[in-house]
Amino acid sequence: MSFPRLFNQFVLRALLREKTRTTIAALGVGLGVAVMIAIRLANVSVTETFRAAVDSVGGNTSLRIRGAAGRFDEQLFAALDPIRSYGHLSPVIEAYAMVGDGDFRSDTIDGFPRGELLHVLGVDVLLDFPLRDYEVLRVGATEKQSAREALRLLDGSRSIILTEKFLRRHELRVGDEVPLTFGSLTQAFTIRGVLLDRGPAQTLDGNFALMDIAAAQLASNRLGFLDHVDVLLRPEFSTEDILADIQLALPKGLVAELPDATSGRADTMIAAFQFNLSALSAVALIVGLFLIYNAVAMSVAARRAEIGMLQAVGAGRRMVLSLFLTEAVFMAVVGIAVGLPAGRLLGSAAVTATAQTVETFYIAAIAESSASSLHLTLTDILAVVCIVVPLALMAALVPAWEAATVQPVDAVRGSGKRLSPRALARAAMAGLLSLGLGWLLTFGKPIGGVPILGFLAEIALMLGGALLTPLALRLVCAGVRSVSHHLLPARRTEIRLAASNMEGELPRLSVSVAALGISLSMMVAIAVMVGSFRETVVYWLDSALSADLSIKPVMQTSAVSEARLSRRTFDVVANDTDVVDTIWFGARQLPYQNRNIRLATTELEKTLERARLIFKAPPIEKITDDSVVVSESFSLLFDSPAGTSIELPTSKGSSSFQIAGVYYDYASNQGTILMDAAVFRQHYGEKDPLLTAQTLAVYLRPEADIEQVRSRILGQLGPDEQIYCVTSREVRAEALKIFESTFAVTYALQFIAILVAGMGVASTLITLIYKRQKDIGLLSLIGATGKQVRRVIVIEAVLLGGVSQLVGIFIGILLAMVLIFVINVQSFGWTIQFLLPVQFIIQSTLLVLIASGLFGLYPAIRAAGVDALQTVREEHA
Amino acid sequence: MSDSDFLHAENVTKLYGADTARHEALRGISFAAERGEFVAIRGPSGCGKSTLLHILGAMDSPTDGNVWLNGRRLDTLGLDELAIVRRRYVGFIFQSFNLLPTLTVQENVSLPLLLDGVADREASERSISALADVGLQSRTQHLPSELSGGEMQRAAIARALAIDPDLVIADEPTGSLDSANGLRVLELLANLNATRNITVVMATHSADAAAFAKRVLHVKDGQIEKEEGADVLSSPV
């Protein structure tokens, strides 16, 4: 008989006949595929959108010249004359503004202002037109405007050109005024022209504005500074060849780099975002593997007799093996078909949800806009097929091989062979060795900045836990049997039967329980990590928040970190009679060793005295002119402990600084250097460092009424100063809110883990019921009521879920330890105090037990419906 | 039904399937057995003897007709009530032994008692005693897969005995055994019938096995074709 016909008769018909089994398997695989595709879409989309945004703003730029220490004095532009022989130069200001004149203070979600973000490019239009692909229209004119005309449009400090898309969305027209907030100041700008939807106008889905460079400097409080100078090389020069020459020709304090270096540094900013999602993806793979294994095992169990018959009529082992492997591929394909559209929807939801959580406002906006434009490409579909189909074959191999090598005598003698103590001991020994290997791998250093050995340690630990599962299962079953009369005297017989049934299926169940355990271990690991992290942050917040009030511009988020407080704000606060002291903090992005770090400025001695920083080691000594303190993440990321020196780029070239101390800082994983204002002025040429201040910590007289002071300050500043003025308590609450939303996606992971556990329990039990139909029928014949049979199966379900959770807790805690002490430290540079979330473990265990019991109901009902007489009728067949 | 009837079936009909696929396994059979009687049911494959046995043993319900066991009407009982009747009053012995493979021999034997709520200690004592009665006292902690065919069938008999049944239903109990083991099992049944006054109804193909019974019913095409009394039966082999 031909294979397709046999496949149709033996596999397809059975799949259609057993609709529940087929549905569970296809849904399971579909769930795995959906999660996988969602993660892939989300990751690719965010990265690509981010790159696209950077690239479209970059235009035809061949090289970018920037200050080694970030923004630089505009007078240096004149010193770039030697570079002009290589090509065309255009000075640029890049800033962000919030759209609208609403009160952003009352319109926040998770601490982020919810006003619409606008990417503002300030250029000298005449110089910039060759670099970027602008198409500007003027009211009444349909033809493209020349650079000179565009320049005329942008005369005046409040003129702005917006994109066609933006204007259409907001129903605005040329000549209208649009209120924009830079830093804490809201001002109205006049729309003078329209940018067609191409080139830089595509940035942030049309949220792009063009301004004259002088107007942008004024609006963004950067008078006298440039962010970068873009270079368009003449055609005869190749970027790679000329880069070194240009670097040599640059004045001190400036560096030349390829334009995509910016996006390269920015990529590290989304590492945490993608890390969270990748964890979900890993679970999806395990889910897929396990559910396919179960589905094929179920199929084999259900059709033992048919397999025997096939073999009896001459089907060889290869044919039987091929049939079951094809069945696995078929289910994988159905799963993919279900999972792809589901993944597209899930991806969109995941990006939107996680967009709230990413550390940067900029990326959040991009991610949100990209969520609506996610689409599946042929590459995505092929990637899923290439991952899922081989996995399906791999997962199906064991049960399919079992089918191909089935011995008729096994069916006659029953399945009562228990796993031998020697096999148990061997598996346990291998498990312990694997755990040992995992422990050794945790000592490895990161490779290329990635904790690869840490991830390998995680895999070794999972494998170790999985190999210890048969022993755990045996011990729990034996334990439950022996204490059943104490546990529930009235149900002891059902409990014993359930435990005996499970012991009798130890090899088969060990695979299921290990897979479920690993799925649950992800949930436990993430919960332990997040719980520990949260407690550490709470402790840190409680220690670090010493000020009574904290003031910052509404635009001050970690991404738009250049938003500053106005001088007026300082004056108003300083003149308040209840204010006894203030500490200001400023920060800027500083390129350092292929990453962006935060260079924070403050009055260091006062900060150390007042701000109660928690130092790692050693306690800070006297601050000298060339000393800085650094955050733990900086110290770990760049291997710079206290006492060592670092070379920092400054506006006067490279300078050496002594690390006087390392402090804990969970506000950012970028790595922060805290520098005294005087030292900053000396090295970075800021005439008045106070003008870089972004946050003001305010200390009040002990008897002062905080609410009254706050009202007074806000009242005096008036509505034009868009600032947050919050108490320590509110800062704490806001920080925790951001924290919760950062890890919101992990709740999805927990939900999926429990759902999978439930589905796994159900499919495992249905498989077992198929296999044990005869035993169940016999149980009924010797007098077990339907209720008793149902109870046995539900108890088996609860035991299955319980042991899986036990294995999950064991592996999960080990995984969490590696996550906390190895992977997090190597990836983010944060030390987290390990804390066991006992309450979560108890709650999740109860949830898993309840879910398992509920998912066990369907198999239980099926078991109670088994035709008891079938057992004896078969004897006469 | 006479007062002395312990097991009584009246005009029992059993239909399987529907419409054109309908099959009449029993066609109005009436049957009665007194307490302590040993009845054999003989007939070719598919004649309905097993179906009759299942209905008499409260394993199945008739499509039509009435069945009484020790004065209790069975055909009106629900599934769970039938299960209770089985575990309290009826012991089963099948051709394929039908022991639960994951339980030890003793656990198999004590299972019907435990399902009925008998205390652990009593269930244990009764199961050990039943196993001793069939000569398996040394095999109590073995799994069924570790026993020979004859031992498995004796374990199944012990399970039937442990509940101290009123009725033992034996469906081809020697069908999977060699002649020596088959003989031992039949002797056991005959002995139990004689010493404990247990009613035994046994379906068999074998004339030799039927010879252990006091009465033999010949079934053909779902009806009792003829009945032989003890006086016309030859002596057991």
Side-chain angles (χ1 to χ4, degrees):
Chain A
M1 189 181 274
S2 68
F3 184 82
R5 178 173 289 185
L6 205 54
F7 178 74
N8 175 39
Q9 291 178 348
F10 188 73
V11 177
L12 274 186
R13 283 185 196 172
L15 287 174
L16 289 173
R17 199 172 53 234
E18 284 296 333
K19 287 187 184 65
T20 313
R21 178 172 70 86
T22 312
T23 310
I24 286 182
L27 276 183
V29 178
L31 178 71
V33 170
V35 174
M36 208 168 75
I37 198 80
I39 302 313
R40 183 178 157 77
L41 279 180
N43 279 348
V44 169
S45 146
V46 170
T47 311
E48 283 186 354
T49 315
F50 188 88
R51 282 184 182 280
V54 173
D55 292 347
S56 57
V57 173
N60 303 324
T61 303
S62 343
L63 281 176
R64 177 159 288 174
I65 295 169
R66 58 167 179 81
R71 159 174 325 147
F72 60 95
D73 192 326
E74 66 178 359
Q75 285 176 2
L76 283 173
F77 185 65
L80 295 178
D81 273 347
I83 313 297
R84 291 180 203 278
S85 58
Y86 294 105
H88 192 88
L89 307 187
S90 172
V92 179
I93 287 284
E94 256 187 282
Y96 299 92
M98 203 89 82
V99 183
D101 56 358
D103 184 357
F104 301 121
R105 285 168 298 203
S106 59
D107 185 18
T108 65
I109 292 178
D110 300 335
F112 289 118
R114 299 308 296 166
E116 199 173 339
L117 190 70
L118 204 59
H119 189 158
V120 180
L121 200 68
V123 293
D124 179 327
V125 175
L126 288 179
L127 294 177
D128 204 63
F129 254 55
L131 274 93
R132 271 167 268 267
D133 190 13
Y134 304 111
E135 277 202 36
V136 184
L137 289 181
R138 194 180 45 167
V139 64
T142 49
E143 74 280 14
K144 187 177 166 180
Q145 301 292 296
S146 69
R148 197 161 292 282
E149 284 165 321
L151 176 67
R152 198 163 47 76
L153 295 178
L154 287 175
D155 65 343
S157 61
R158 300 288 179 87
S159 298
I160 197 163
I161 295 178
L162 291 166
T163 67
E164 194 188 6
K165 227 176 191 173
F166 182 87
L167 294 187
R168 206 179 308 123
R169 201 160 48 227
H170 291 271
E171 296 175 355
L172 288 168
R173 303 170 65 170
V174 172
D176 288 352
E177 287 203 331
V178 58
L180 298 177
T181 301
F182 287 86
S184 63
L185 274 178
T186 303
Q187 294 168 309
F189 290 81
T190 308
I191 304 165
R192 301 296 301 275
V194 186
L195 274 174
L196 290 185
D197 186 26
R198 56 180 299 178
Q202 293 171 320
T203 305
L204 278 178
D205 200 28
N207 279 25
F208 175 81
L210 189 65
M211 286 177 82
D212 179 66
I213 190 161
Q217 282 174 318
L218 187 66
S220 62
N221 201 11
R222 296 177 202 180
L223 274 178
F225 289 94
L226 293 178
D227 285 323
H228 48 86
V229 174
D230 288 350
V231 185
L232 175 64
L233 290 177
R234 291 202 183 113
E236 63 265 31
F237 295 116
S238 137
T239 315
E240 282 74 22
D241 297 344
I242 220 73
L243 187 61
D245 292 347
I246 290 182
Q247 185 64 63
L248 281 175
L250 288 176
K252 221 174 178 182
L254 294 186
V255 289
E257 62 184 19
L258 297 173
D260 60 5
T262 312
S263 58
R265 280 194 298 273
D267 281 351
T268 61
M269 286 156 57
I270 49 177
F273 175 77
Q274 297 195 328
F275 177 78
N276 268 339
L277 294 175
S278 298
L280 265 175
S281 204
V283 174
L285 285 180
I286 295 164
V287 170
L289 259 173
F290 166 62
L291 289 168
I292 291 174
Y293 167 85
N294 243 12
V296 177
M298 209 192 293
S299 180
V300 172
R303 286 183 286 158
R304 271 182 168 254
E306 290 173 57
I307 297 164
M309 221 153 63
L310 265 182
Q311 285 178 330
V313 297
R317 286 183 179 186
R318 192 176 291 177
M319 174 69 91
V320 174
L321 187 69
S322 307
L323 278 173
F324 282 101
L325 290 181
T326 318
E327 180 177 332
V329 172
F330 180 81
M331 280 190 285
V333 170
V334 174
I336 290 171
V338 174
L340 282 175
R344 158 74 184 74
L345 294 174
L346 198 62
S348 182
V351 173
T352 310
T354 319
Q356 310 293 337
T357 79
V358 288
E359 61 189 76
T360 70
F361 186 48
Y362 181 45
I363 296 177
I366 294 171
E368 275 187 345
S369 76
S370 76
S372 56
S373 61
L374 286 179
H375 61 279
L376 285 167
T377 63
L378 188 65
T379 321
D380 293 326
I381 296 169
L382 284 177
V384 168
V385 171
C386 289
I387 292 171
V388 174
V389 171
L391 277 181
L393 286 170
M394 234 168 74
L397 202 59
V398 174
W401 182 253
E402 189 193 325
T405 56
V406 68
Q407 297 291 329
V409 69
D410 287 345
V412 175
R413 302 287 288 181
S415 55
K417 286 183 198 160
R418 291 180 178 178
L419 202 63
S420 72
R422 181 179 280 188
L424 260 184
R426 268 204 303 263
M429 189 53 75
L432 289 175
L433 283 174
S434 190
L435 292 183
L437 177 68
W439 178 69
L440 285 177
L441 284 168
T442 58
F443 292 101
K445 295 260 179 204
I447 299 170
V450 182
I452 291 172
L453 295 179
F455 285 117
L456 287 177
E458 298 269 46
I459 292 170
L461 293 176
M462 277 191 228
L463 189 66
L467 286 166
L468 285 170
T469 301
L471 183 65
L473 202 53
R474 163 63 64 84
L475 290 175
V476 169
C477 288
V480 166
R481 268 156 63 97
S482 59
V483 299
S484 56
H485 55 287
H486 296 302
L487 278 177
L488 274 171
R491 303 281 168 258
R492 67 192 190 288
T493 306
E494 289 94 324
I495 294 173
R496 282 178 204 162
L497 266 175
S500 293
N501 288 341
M502 288 178 66
E503 272 191 280
E505 295 288 348
L506 212 54
R508 162 88 187 81
L509 282 181
S510 295
V511 177
S512 300
V513 170
L516 291 177
I518 287 171
S519 174
L520 291 169
S521 75
M522 293 285 182
M523 170 186 80
V524 174
I526 298 287
V528 172
M529 190 192 77
V530 174
S532 299
F533 196 7
R534 193 181 188 284
E535 287 305 306
T536 308
V537 169
V538 166
Y539 175 76
W540 170 74
L541 281 172
D542 290 343
S543 309
L545 293 173
S546 57
D548 298 302
L549 284 171
S550 178
I551 297 175
K552 63 176 182 178
V554 287
M555 286 287 287
Q556 210 279 302
T557 69
S558 62
V560 194
S561 56
E562 308 281 332
R564 301 163 182 197
L565 288 168
S566 68
R567 166 66 81 176
R568 194 166 150 259
T569 307
F570 287 101
D571 293 341
V572 166
V573 173
N575 290 334
D576 194 284
T577 48
D578 279 332
V579 173
V580 290
D581 205 355
T582 58
I583 302 177
W584 61 266
F585 293 89
R588 72 188 328 182
Q589 297 290 308
L590 186 70
Y592 181 75
Q593 290 187 14
N594 297 324
R595 290 180 82 117
N596 274 341
I597 59 161
R598 282 175 78 226
L599 176 62
T601 338
T602 185
E603 296 158 287
L604 196 52
E605 278 199 32
K606 203 201 263 186
T607 300
L608 295 175
E609 186 191 318
R610 278 276 195 185
R612 300 208 304 252
L613 296 180
I614 307 171
F615 280 92
K616 190 177 181 184
I620 194 155
E621 291 166 14
K622 188 168 170 53
I623 299 293
T624 59
D625 281 354
D626 65 347
S627 55
V628 291
V629 293
V630 300
S631 69
E632 185 202 18
S633 53
F634 181 91
S635 174
L636 290 171
L637 284 173
F638 301 105
D639 197 17
S640 306
T644 58
S645 289
I646 47 170
E647 289 285 326
L648 289 181
T650 70
S651 51
K652 295 169 185 165
S654 181
S655 295
S656 180
F657 296 88
Q658 175 91 12
I659 297 179
V662 177
Y663 68 100
Y664 291 107
D665 178 10
Y666 298 98
S668 163
N669 65 6
Q670 258 187 297
T672 303
I673 296 174
L674 200 53
M675 185 178 276
D676 184 62
V679 180
F680 181 75
R681 185 165 49 227
Q682 186 190 330
H683 289 278
Y684 292 88
E686 295 275 359
K687 294 172 191 82
D688 185 0
L690 190 64
L691 287 179
T692 66
Q694 296 164 330
T695 313
L696 192 62
V698 182
Y699 295 86
L700 305 179
R701 288 188 304 124
E703 60 275 23
D705 181 327
I706 295 179
E707 280 309 318
Q708 274 184 11
V709 177
R710 170 152 70 174
S711 305
R712 218 158 43 220
I713 289 172
L714 288 174
Q716 284 187 41
L717 285 172
D720 287 344
E721 289 283 348
Q722 292 282 343
I723 60 158
Y724 291 121
C725 181
V726 288
T727 63
S728 297
R729 212 165 137 187
E730 287 164 338
V731 172
R732 185 184 188 277
E734 184 191 302
L736 287 178
K737 231 163 140 188
I738 293 172
F739 181 92
E740 302 293 357
S741 71
T742 302
F743 290 100
V745 73
T746 60
Y747 297 119
L749 194 146
Q750 292 174 5
F751 172 74
I752 287 173
I754 290 181
L755 188 70
V756 166
M759 282 175 75
V761 164
S763 68
T764 303
L765 284 173
I766 292 173
T767 311
L768 290 184
I769 288 164
Y770 270 118
K771 213 173 164 185
R772 296 200 324 240
Q773 289 216 23
K774 202 175 162 194
D775 299 344
I776 293 166
L778 178 67
L779 198 61
S780 177
L781 281 185
I782 60 173
T785 60
K787 215 181 255 180
Q788 284 174 316
V789 173
R790 282 196 294 274
R791 269 192 217 122
V792 170
I793 303 298
V794 170
I795 291 168
E796 280 184 45
V798 172
L799 276 175
L800 259 177
V803 182
S804 302
Q805 172 74 349
L806 200 68
V807 171
I809 291 170
F810 173 70
I811 303 177
I813 289 173
L814 294 179
L815 295 185
M817 290 171 90
V818 177
L819 275 175
I820 288 172
F821 297 121
V822 182
I823 291 176
N824 258 327
V825 172
Q826 292 182 4
S827 301
F828 305 117
W830 281 329
T831 294
I832 300 171
Q833 303 302 317
F834 182 86
L835 280 165
L836 204 58
V838 178
Q839 197 184 339
F840 169 82
I841 288 176
I842 294 170
Q843 276 172 355
S844 65
T845 303
L846 287 174
L847 208 59
V848 167
L849 293 179
I850 292 168
S852 302
L854 289 175
F855 274 93
L857 282 177
Y858 173 70
I861 291 165
R862 279 187 79 137
V866 165
D867 181 4
L869 283 173
Q870 193 65 34
T871 311
V872 282
R873 275 196 206 113
E874 279 170 4
E875 293 177 2
H876 306 289
Chain B
M1 183 172 82
S2 78
D3 288 347
S4 60
D5 289 345
F6 167 72
L7 181 63
H8 182 82
E10 193 176 273
N11 207 20
V12 169
T13 303
K14 182 70 181 177
L15 298 175
Y16 290 113
D19 303 328
T20 49
R22 204 164 80 156
H23 165 64
E24 208 171 2
L26 296 179
R27 299 178 182 182
I29 281 187
S30 293
F31 161 85
E34 291 176 14
R35 182 181 284 277
E37 217 182 337
F38 191 152
V39 182
I41 302 173
R42 287 193 67 195
S45 286
C47 70
K49 60 183 186 297
S50 289
T51 305
L52 177 61
L53 214 60
H54 297 158
I55 290 172
L56 294 176
M59 286 185 262
D60 202 358
S61 300
T63 309
D64 206 0
N66 311 121
V67 183
W68 288 268
L69 173 65
N70 202 13
R72 178 194 293 263
R73 195 167 156 189
L74 300 184
D75 55 276
T76 54
L77 299 182
L79 289 175
D80 283 351
E81 290 165 308
L82 286 174
I84 292 166
V85 169
R86 289 198 296 272
R87 74 187 180 204
R88 287 189 184 157
Y89 309 112
V90 187
F92 297 95
I93 303 160
F94 301 102
Q95 181 179 335
S96 299
F97 326 130
N98 286 315
L99 299 170
L100 288 171
T102 56
L103 300 185
T104 63
V105 169
Q106 193 196 332
E107 285 169 338
N108 262 290
V109 173
S110 58
L111 187 58
L113 298 169
L114 293 170
L115 286 171
D116 202 29
V118 173
D120 285 1
R121 178 172 293 192
E122 187 188 337
S124 172
E125 284 167 2
R126 284 169 65 177
S127 59
I128 288 171
S129 162
L131 282 164
D133 287 346
V134 298
L136 283 178
Q137 58 272 39
S138 61
R139 310 286 264 165
T140 54
Q141 296 310 310
H142 286 75
L143 288 172
S145 56
E146 295 161 351
L147 302 184
S148 70
E151 285 174 323
M152 279 199 265
Q153 194 59 299
R154 280 190 279 146
I157 294 173
R159 182 181 60 195
L161 290 182
I163 61 168
D164 197 11
D166 291 333
L167 170 68
V168 166
I169 296 287
D171 195 356
E172 300 283 3
T174 59
S176 299
L177 300 175
D178 59 38
S179 54
N181 274 310
L183 181 61
R184 193 166 176 195
V185 164
L186 289 168
E187 282 171 348
L188 251 173
L189 284 176
N191 185 39
L192 291 170
N193 169 250
T195 56
R196 299 199 190 180
N197 202 30
I198 296 171
T199 308
V200 178
V201 181
M202 174 177 73
T204 180
H205 283 95
S206 156
D208 291 343
F212 280 82
K214 292 169 186 157
R215 186 155 60 102
V216 179
L217 303 178
H218 291 268
V219 178
K220 192 178 176 188
D221 297 331
Q223 289 178 313
I224 295 175
E225 190 186 40
K226 64 174 179 176
E227 188 175 331
E228 292 174 279
D231 49 336
V232 294
L233 292 171
S234 57
S235 302
V237 178

